[in-house]
Amino acid sequence: MRKDVIYYLWLQCVFGVNNIAFKNGMSFFNTAEFFYNASEYDYKICDCFTPNIIKKLMNKDLSKARKILNDCGRLGYDIIAYNDELFSDKLRAISAPPVLLYVKGKMPKLDGKLSVAMVGSRNATSQGLNAANDFAFSFAESGATVVSGGAFGVDTASHRAVLNAYGTTISVLGCGIDVGYPMENIPMYEKIAENGAVVSEFPPGYPPIAKNFPLRNRIICGLSDCTLIVQAGEKSGALITANDAIKEGRKLFSIPGSIFFRENKGSNELLRLGYSAAIEPNDILNWYDTKKNNLNYFAKIDYNEKVEKICKPIFVEDSVDSTSDFAIEESKPEEKPIKKIPTDVSEASKKVFMVLSDEPVTTDYISAKTGMPIHELLSALTELEIFGYIESVVGGKYIAKG
């Protein structure tokens, strides 16, 4: 474990999760140790942080970081920090990468090798589970790494298929690794760690809070070259991962399903919007390796370039854009008045539009300003985007068009 990991643990205590300010700061300070030793003046001239973040950065107490480090040592967990080689360029390139990952097992080297995110419904049909099994098994046999979230249904079927093929899989949890949620999958996590890794950005002992599972989906997407939606209903949480793939410009595939089953409505909608269909595993494998038939040498991708051209988001009721309990809140930009109010949208959409300006804001900020529940807010945002009054930008934020 690297000597400066204590400073990365300190940074995680400062920034929490899903905070783009961390990545901006790292581009300025380069290392966590420089970050730690910087002065208040340095933080201010960096022009990356709110006053609240600067206040936290000026607290140089490492006791909380040392406790987490001791817990990881006791439990036998590794810590892979932002600048580590095993952190992967893929993950480092997303809008809000984690400060670090806690790892049980051995983190595979992902750069230069295909990794595929496989996600889908917790209540998948037998056809969905069979599809997950067949695709994951083929990916593992071909040498690709399968990344999923360890949930019941499609996630579990994908992980187990890779284990049956003696391949490599990564399970990304929305809680501390030692918590092992869901408990029924703890034996599976033990098997995964033998040849792959169980990872989390949440420290040991952190409980499985519902809002953190959508946040971890960006890591599932970030560790992968592409995302495959195996089966998803209209409001499936798997569509949150699809949104992450769209926002980060990663290739998105979906397996077609019968139009007579509601379990396929979300995954079929992706196809209707123009994202790629995967009828068989080779539809994905051939996308990355059409010549050498060796996934260790597939064409190198610049992860800082957006490869997905279609940018129509899929919204689901439980989609969130927030930070965990140990993260700090971002400062809220001031709204600028918008003179022209649209007349061809709902009253709820008008209310949302009045909050927006040319300054990007999160759904949490809009919800706080309008008092609207998240499902109603997302519906309004969708309507406004369809009519061309607003657009989504990097980081899952929204601006009004001029």
Side-chain angles (χ1 to χ4, degrees), residues 7-9 11-12 15-16 22 80-83 87 97-101 201 218:
Y7 301 117
Y8 284 98
L9 288 165
L11 281 172
Q12 190 192 43
F15 289 104
F22 161 70
I80 296 176
Y82 178 81
N83 277 346
F87 192 87
V99 177
L100 52 80
L101 290 175
E201 68 178 324
R218 79 190 196 287

Side-chain angles (χ1 to χ4, degrees), residues 207 211 237 272 305 311 319:
K211 69 176 183 179
R272 192 164 70 88
E305 292 184 1
C311 293
S319 179

Side-chain angles (χ1 to χ4, degrees), residues 177-305:
I177 299 172
D178 56 324
V179 177
Y181 180 86
M183 291 183 63
E184 292 85 346
N185 278 350
I186 289 178
M188 181 183 75
Y189 296 144
E190 296 293 332
K191 288 290 186 182
I192 289 174
E194 291 177 7
N195 194 44
V198 181
V199 307
S200 176
E201 68 178 324
F202 299 101
Y206 205 83
I209 301 172
K211 69 176 183 179
N212 288 337
F213 286 88
L215 294 175
R216 65 88 193 261
N217 289 355
R218 79 190 196 287
I219 297 179
I220 296 175
C221 166
L223 289 170
S224 308
D225 297 288
C226 61
T227 294
L228 172 63
I229 307 299
V230 176
Q231 184 180 53
E234 185 178 13
K235 297 178 180 179
S236 170
L239 296 181
I240 300 173
T241 313
N243 262 334
D244 289 329
I246 293 167
K247 292 172 185 175
E248 299 300 339
R250 303 291 166 93
K251 187 68 181 174
L252 180 62
F253 295 88
S254 184
I255 298 177
S258 170
I259 61 172
F260 300 108
F261 292 95
R262 66 177 184 272
E263 292 86 355
N264 299 321
K265 191 168 184 180
S267 39
N268 283 343
E269 177 66 11
L270 289 170
L271 301 176
R272 192 164 70 88
L273 288 173
Y275 295 99
S276 299
I279 309 297
E280 59 182 34
N282 278 340
D283 290 333
I284 294 176
L285 295 174
N286 290 339
W287 179 272
Y288 292 95
D289 187 14
T290 57
K291 296 179 180 179
K292 297 181 181 178
N293 197 30
N294 186 333
L295 295 178
N296 288 310
Y297 298 97
F298 78 102
K300 183 171 177 58
I301 297 171
D302 184 349
Y303 298 102
N304 292 306
E305 292 184 1

Side-chain angles (χ1 to χ4, degrees), residues 328-347:
I328 62 174
E329 296 181 356
E330 299 176 5
S331 63
K332 306 300 189 291
E334 296 179 0
E335 311 109 70
K336 296 181 180 178
I338 300 173
K339 296 179 180 179
K340 188 176 180 181
I341 303 174
T343 58
D344 51 353
V345 295
S346 67
E347 290 301 316

Side-chain angles (χ1 to χ4, degrees), residues 88-212:
S88 173
D89 289 341
K90 305 176 189 184
L91 184 57
R92 201 176 289 114
I94 67 173
S95 303
V99 177
L100 52 80
L101 290 175
Y102 302 95
V103 179
K104 180 177 182 178
K106 184 178 181 181
M107 188 70 173
K109 187 174 182 180
L110 297 177
D111 293 332
K113 183 178 179 181
L114 180 63
S115 52
V116 181
M118 291 185 62
V119 294
S121 174
R122 287 175 170 81
N123 300 308
T125 64
S126 58
Q127 290 89 344
L129 296 176
N130 287 337
N133 179 80
D134 291 349
F135 273 74
F137 194 94
S138 293
F139 294 152
E141 279 194 320
S142 299
T145 298
V146 172
V147 185
S148 196
F152 290 131
V154 166
D155 289 15
T156 295
S158 301
H159 287 310
R160 292 193 181 280
V162 176
L163 294 175
N164 290 336
Y166 301 99
T168 303
T169 184
I170 299 172
S171 184
V172 185
L173 305 188
C175 58
I177 299 172
D178 56 324
V179 177
Y181 180 86
M183 291 183 63
E184 292 85 346
N185 278 350
I186 289 178
M188 181 183 75
Y189 296 144
E190 296 293 332
K191 288 290 186 182
I192 289 174
E194 291 177 7
N195 194 44
V198 181
V199 307
S200 176
E201 68 178 324
F202 299 101
Y206 205 83
I209 301 172
K211 69 176 183 179
N212 288 337

Side-chain angles (χ1 to χ4, degrees), residues 59-95:
N59 181 357
K60 307 296 185 177
D61 182 12
L62 295 175
S63 58
K64 189 173 181 181
R66 287 196 179 95
K67 181 184 182 305
I68 297 173
L69 185 60
N70 290 337
D71 288 342
C72 289
R74 174 175 52 83
L75 294 166
Y77 298 159
D78 196 6
I79 299 174
I80 296 176
Y82 178 81
N83 277 346
D84 283 330
E85 182 181 2
L86 289 177
F87 192 87
S88 173
D89 289 341
K90 305 176 189 184
L91 184 57
R92 201 176 289 114
I94 67 173
S95 303

Side-chain angles (χ1 to χ4, degrees), residues 24-25 28-29 41-50 54:
N24 292 337
F28 187 87
F29 293 106
Y41 175 76
D42 295 328
Y43 296 140
K44 287 180 178 179
I45 64 170
C46 174
D47 198 26
C48 297
F49 313 120
T50 65
I54 292 175

